[in-house]
Amino acid sequence: MNSRQIKATGRRLLWKLASIIGLAVSPAWGDQTGSLAGHVIDAESGQSVGWTTVVIEGLERARMSNAEGYFFFANVPSGAHILQSLHVGYREERFKVEVVAGDTTHVDLVIGHESLQVEGILIEGEHTRPVSPLQAPEVVFSGSKLRQNLSRTIAETIDYEPGIAQRSMGPAPARPVLRGLGGDRLLMIEDGERTGDLSATSSDHAVAIEPMTTERIEVVRGPRTLLYGSNALAGVVNVVRGYVPSERPDGLGGSVTYQGESVNRGLSGGLTLEQALGPLALRFDSSLRNADDISTPRGVLANTDIRTGNASVGLSLVRPWGHVGASGSLYNSDYGIPPDAESGHPHGVSIDLQRQHLEGRGEILTGPDWLQRLELHHAFSRYQHGEYEASGNLGLEYGVLTHNTGALAHLDRMGPFANGVTGLWFEYRNYAAAGLNYTPPAEEYAGALFAYQEWEHGPWAANAAWRVDARRVEPREERYSRRVGSIQTRDFAGMSAGLSNHYRASSTLTLGSTLMRTFRAPGIEELFSEGPHLAAYSYEVGNGSLDSERGLGLELFADYHREEGHVHVAVFRNAINGFIFFKNSGERSLRRADLFLYQTLGERVLMHGAEVTFDWHLAEPWKVAGALSYVRGRLTDLDDEPLPRLPPLQGHLGLTCEPTEALSATIDVRLAAEQDQIGEFEEPTEGYAVLDLSSQYYAQWGGRLHTFALTLENATDAVYRNHLNRVKDILPEPGRNLRLLHKIFF
């Protein structure tokens, strides 16, 4: 049998058996990868630019150039790719390159402040249209932007972006809210995987992701969110860490980071190491965070201290056909929830959170002509969470075991279609609660089949996705509860879909729209919870008869780009049937008279809003940037009652000076209007204006790149309150805070 016959036989078996594993081990498809070698050059001086992060978009692969500006990627799938350069003092830029199979492609990445034409390839700056407008995440925090905003949590780190707010009960359990939607409607993932924590279920539950050793944070919206889940109507926040290395480093490399802040006498540090061991790539990271209670202009907010430790190690075999590897990580956090004398715990609650995570991941780069690459992954998380009263007694404990398995086939260009993805995903969760809680132990089984495709023709570009999900929630005991209803096995299934289009009306103006249909099955807690939850100030009661949640979202947007800067405007409308939330009944629990009774409801919600973001270069070296976001929501079946806990009209306006490439300084004002569109039993929140000052500097000393970020938050020590903070009635937001970060690359 010759090579062509083997290839045809392999294809027939693949389609007949639908066996992705069979595809991975088929032997005779040849080498479809090449190497990519590059040199990063300053646009004005022509000198090498060392310590530049280069990302291959869509492949989740990144390398840092050495001190002389050179970088190298091995085993890159042949075809067109987009490279993104990230370097403090330079604008983020994108480059289109063509990798030839079996050969090394050499590229020069010329980075600077202006659009350039180099070797026939248009290189566009951070604020011009990306080469592939459908591939890039809507927001990326990396490089200098990440270091400048790096804070105690992921939510605080990305809080400046348009449409993003943060839900909190003190600093530790802060979680992002995007366009008024949080919880499971905004997926928080790490390296594309679910974290296995319970942060989406309650305001007192922290996200088990440490920002200190994060490589970058991506905010994804539109049809691409359906690659990660069916219910991300708000979007997906993907924290990229690279637990399982996909590149073999040239030698020992990494970074050391340390940070201090005054508002809580906080100290934190992180270490990242990469080392080649023959054909193996080893990656290690670790971080520690220690902070006391938060200081506010009105006093110290008691029981808001944080103690967090995080460590991971990953090892991969990297070969021309791809890579296969595994990683293990530990995350431990002890943090406090402030006391509330009227809500069940006058002395506060302390939470002990632990997560152990194991992950296996492989990428196959060889295959038939129609296949660009194949991804296989499996992750296991063991999550435990104990809530302790001031007496030391355990009030409530959660335990969750989670398995996630997925396979994604990335398709090569087929006629007018490009960047297609087809995949399968499975999840198993084993959930248990103990203490003063009557929520039954339960198991969840979930599976999904999904597909994604892009299309470009002339000034038009579009992407679409389709996903089918099924989920079973199976309590270990079936019974009837007077408040919850029937506690029994429930099955849910639904379809999600998304379509987005871009029309390039001119060289400076792009118009577009996005239509999303989402599906969300209720979780164990929403169906069967019953009992006091002291750390959340509530007595929670589920609803065993809940139906699935189905959303329909429409967004219209416009992007105006010039060399001087850009402006983005978006308006959106979301209609959600069966919107699931815990509603304050206004009644005290019969079992705990100091706690209000919160009952799970599924109601119809109508939301609308708008966002504006811009940045513009004035006379050198000045730049102005700002953002404004607005969202409103109504419970249409409850006499148009306002949806509770929505952020007010808010934004920021900043002025930046960059006298040199190594130095920048920014004055920024955070603004919010009064929030008086409130749900039942909510209190209004006054508007505010808060002044922040920040600066960055970098230098090369002793062959190492040193970066510094100095920030003075709330410089005037203003008194202000975040409407989404559950403890805003106790004390206001943090006062004046001086924060210094120093990061060393080697």
Side-chain angles (χ1 to χ4, degrees):
M1 181 179 292
N2 60 32
S3 176
R4 182 173 297 178
Q5 291 172 322
I6 293 174
K7 183 186 290 188
T9 301
R11 286 178 176 172
R12 287 196 298 270
L13 288 173
L14 170 71
W15 293 114
K16 183 177 180 179
L17 303 175
S19 173
I20 296 176
I21 303 298
L23 173 64
V25 300
S26 209
W29 281 320
D31 187 8
Q32 291 183 258
T33 68
S35 299
L36 182 61
H39 186 203
V40 186
I41 301 171
D42 184 279
E44 298 179 3
S45 68
Q47 300 297 312
S48 299
V49 182
W51 314 110
T52 301
T53 300
V54 180
V55 180
I56 305 179
E57 291 187 353
L59 296 185
E60 301 300 333
R61 295 171 67 178
R63 295 300 299 271
M64 177 171 285
S65 67
N66 62 19
E68 289 74 40
Y70 291 97
F71 63 91
F72 182 81
F73 289 94
N75 310 324
V76 179
S78 61
H81 296 281
I82 305 301
L83 300 184
Q84 182 185 21
S85 65
L86 306 167
H87 191 288
V88 61
Y90 291 85
R91 296 197 180 282
E92 297 177 11
E93 297 182 355
R94 288 182 169 85
F95 306 77
K96 187 173 184 178
V97 299
E98 189 80 23
V99 175
V100 179
D103 199 0
T104 299
T105 302
H106 296 269
V107 295
D108 288 337
L109 307 187
V110 183
I111 61 176
H113 296 283
E114 304 293 337
S115 293
L116 303 171
Q117 188 77 24
V118 179
E119 298 181 359
I121 300 174
L122 179 64
I123 302 171
E124 299 186 66
E126 177 186 22
H127 304 305
T128 58
R129 187 179 75 91
V131 180
S132 176
L134 305 175
Q135 281 292 300
E138 185 153 327
V139 178
V140 178
F141 277 77
S142 58
S144 60
K145 185 177 181 180
L146 177 60
R147 290 190 292 271
Q148 187 68 71
N149 294 279
L150 188 67
S151 193
R152 294 172 287 267
T153 63
I154 297 296
E156 285 186 291
T157 300
I158 66 175
D159 192 35
Y160 267 58
E161 287 304 311
I164 293 180
Q166 57 172 315
R167 171 216 79 185
S168 65
M169 292 188 72
R175 196 178 195 276
V177 172
L178 184 54
R179 293 182 173 178
L181 296 173
D184 271 343
R185 302 171 195 92
L186 176 62
L187 291 183
M188 293 284 296
I189 57 178
E190 192 174 34
D191 284 344
E193 299 282 354
R194 308 208 178 190
T195 61
D197 64 31
L198 294 176
S199 65
T201 63
S202 183
S203 297
D204 64 304
H205 296 171
V207 178
I209 303 176
E210 169 56 49
M212 177 59 64
T213 51
T214 294
E215 292 182 5
R216 65 185 184 275
I217 304 171
E218 303 172 343
V219 179
V220 181
R221 290 176 179 166
R224 285 189 68 87
T225 62
L226 298 183
L227 298 179
Y228 305 103
S230 65
N231 55 342
L233 187 59
V236 172
V237 177
N238 183 25
V239 180
V240 180
R241 306 178 68 91
Y243 276 146
V244 179
S246 59
E247 295 288 334
R248 192 173 66 87
D250 298 329
L252 178 64
S255 64
V256 176
T257 308
Y258 60 87
Q259 185 181 56
E261 57 183 341
S262 63
V263 75
N264 56 6
R265 294 187 294 180
L267 293 173
S268 54
L271 171 67
T272 301
L273 295 174
E274 295 179 342
Q275 174 69 59
L277 303 173
L280 303 176
L282 175 68
R283 181 189 183 278
F284 170 82
D285 75 57
S286 181
S287 64
L288 292 172
R289 182 177 298 276
N290 185 69
D292 294 337
D293 293 340
I294 286 282
S295 296
T296 80
R298 297 286 172 82
V300 174
L301 186 57
N303 207 44
T304 52
D305 56 320
I306 308 172
R307 308 286 183 271
T308 299
N310 177 74
S312 75
V313 61
L315 186 68
S316 288
L317 173 67
V318 182
R319 307 300 293 169
W321 49 260
H323 76 275
V324 60
S327 71
S329 64
L330 302 173
Y331 179 92
N332 294 333
S333 183
D334 295 316
Y335 63 92
I337 300 297
D340 187 340
E342 298 180 0
S343 298
H345 57 92
H347 303 292
V349 170
S350 296
I351 293 181
D352 178 15
L353 182 159
Q354 300 179 19
R355 187 188 75 145
Q356 296 88 43
H357 184 78
L358 297 174
E359 179 180 350
R361 185 180 293 269
E363 183 181 55
I364 312 299
L365 302 177
T366 59
D369 295 339
W370 50 267
L371 181 68
Q372 185 185 79
R373 59 192 173 97
L374 177 69
E375 290 183 49
L376 304 170
H377 59 84
H378 179 81
F380 167 74
S381 291
R382 179 180 182 271
Y383 176 88
Q384 284 186 299
H385 167 143
E387 302 182 1
Y388 295 87
E389 301 178 33
S391 62
N393 294 329
L394 178 65
L396 187 59
E397 185 176 22
Y398 297 97
V400 184
L401 303 178
T402 306
H403 287 269
N404 281 293
T405 299
L408 286 83
H410 294 258
L411 310 179
D412 211 340
R413 180 176 289 275
M414 300 179 184
F417 301 105
N419 301 315
V421 180
T422 300
L424 300 167
W425 173 80
F426 301 96
E427 181 181 64
Y428 167 77
R429 290 179 79 223
N430 189 323
Y431 170 98
L436 301 176
N437 194 282
Y438 306 102
T439 306
E443 295 175 299
E444 282 185 303
Y445 305 86
L449 172 67
F450 51 86
Y452 170 86
Q453 194 69 65
E454 296 180 2
W455 172 85
E456 291 188 62
H457 180 73
W460 291 94
N463 60 342
W466 171 86
R467 182 180 177 109
V468 174
D469 282 77
R471 182 174 293 269
R472 165 169 285 191
V473 182
E474 189 175 288
R476 293 184 196 167
E477 57 173 316
E478 296 193 355
R479 57 184 173 84
Y480 180 81
S481 167
R482 183 174 62 86
R483 287 195 174 275
V484 175
S486 295
I487 298 176
Q488 60 183 354
T489 298
R490 297 289 310 277
D491 293 312
F492 305 91
M495 184 190 75
S496 304
L499 173 64
S500 182
N501 68 82
H502 298 235
Y503 174 66
R504 188 138 173 107
S506 69
S507 61
T508 59
L509 180 63
T510 300
L511 305 174
S513 65
T514 299
L515 182 65
M516 294 289 295
R517 184 186 190 275
T518 60
F519 159 82
R520 176 176 179 264
I524 296 169
E525 302 89 340
E526 294 164 327
L527 288 168
F528 306 136
S529 286
E530 187 175 6
H533 193 168
L534 298 184
Y537 306 160
S538 59
Y539 190 99
E540 297 171 348
V541 177
N543 184 342
S545 62
L546 283 174
D547 200 355
S548 58
E549 183 178 298
R550 300 171 189 271
L552 185 64
L554 174 64
E555 177 185 356
L556 304 175
F557 59 87
D559 284 294
Y560 180 72
H561 296 267
R562 292 182 57 179
E563 291 185 0
E564 296 90 342
H566 100 287
V567 179
H568 174 81
V569 179
V571 295
F572 60 91
R573 181 183 186 274
N574 296 324
I576 306 174
N577 288 324
F579 183 90
I580 300 170
F581 68 108
F582 281 96
K583 189 177 189 303
N584 188 349
S585 67
E587 302 176 6
R588 297 283 184 172
S589 166
L590 295 178
R591 289 177 174 169
R592 285 293 301 259
D594 53 349
L595 296 176
F596 283 103
L597 183 67
Y598 283 74
Q599 177 78 53
T600 310
L601 299 179
E603 301 289 345
R604 176 175 169 78
V605 166
L606 185 61
M607 305 178 70
H608 65 276
E611 295 170 359
V612 178
T613 181
F614 72 94
D615 58 83
W616 207 263
H617 285 270
L618 307 173
E620 289 293 339
W622 299 95
K623 179 180 76 173
V624 63
L628 190 68
S629 58
Y630 167 87
V631 62
R632 287 290 181 267
R634 298 282 176 178
L635 295 161
T636 58
D637 292 336
L638 298 179
D639 298 325
D640 279 339
E641 177 185 323
L643 185 65
R645 302 191 67 191
L646 287 182
L649 173 69
Q650 61 183 19
H652 73 94
L653 181 64
L655 180 66
T656 298
C657 177
E658 297 179 357
T660 70
E661 292 169 350
L663 178 65
S664 66
T666 299
I667 300 174
D668 199 279
V669 179
R670 284 177 282 153
L671 303 163
E674 177 187 12
Q675 178 57 293
D676 56 5
Q677 299 292 311
I678 54 177
E680 191 177 14
F681 308 114
E682 270 194 294
E683 295 292 332
T685 308
E686 295 180 354
Y688 59 81
V690 177
L691 176 66
D692 298 325
L693 308 174
S694 61
S695 63
Q696 288 206 59
Y697 176 74
Y698 78 91
Q700 296 193 45
W701 299 328
R704 304 286 184 261
L705 177 66
H706 295 253
T707 65
F708 300 87
L710 181 65
T711 303
L712 182 61
E713 296 176 315
N714 193 4
T716 62
D717 208 30
V719 176
Y720 71 104
R721 300 174 193 267
N722 172 19
H723 187 72
L724 301 188
N725 191 338
R726 289 284 297 273
V727 298
K728 62 180 181 291
D729 295 333
I730 303 172
L731 281 174
E733 293 299 300
R736 184 183 296 110
N737 182 31
L738 182 65
R739 187 171 65 219
L740 173 66
L741 179 141
H742 179 202
K743 187 167 187 175
I744 307 169
F745 297 92
F746 57 90

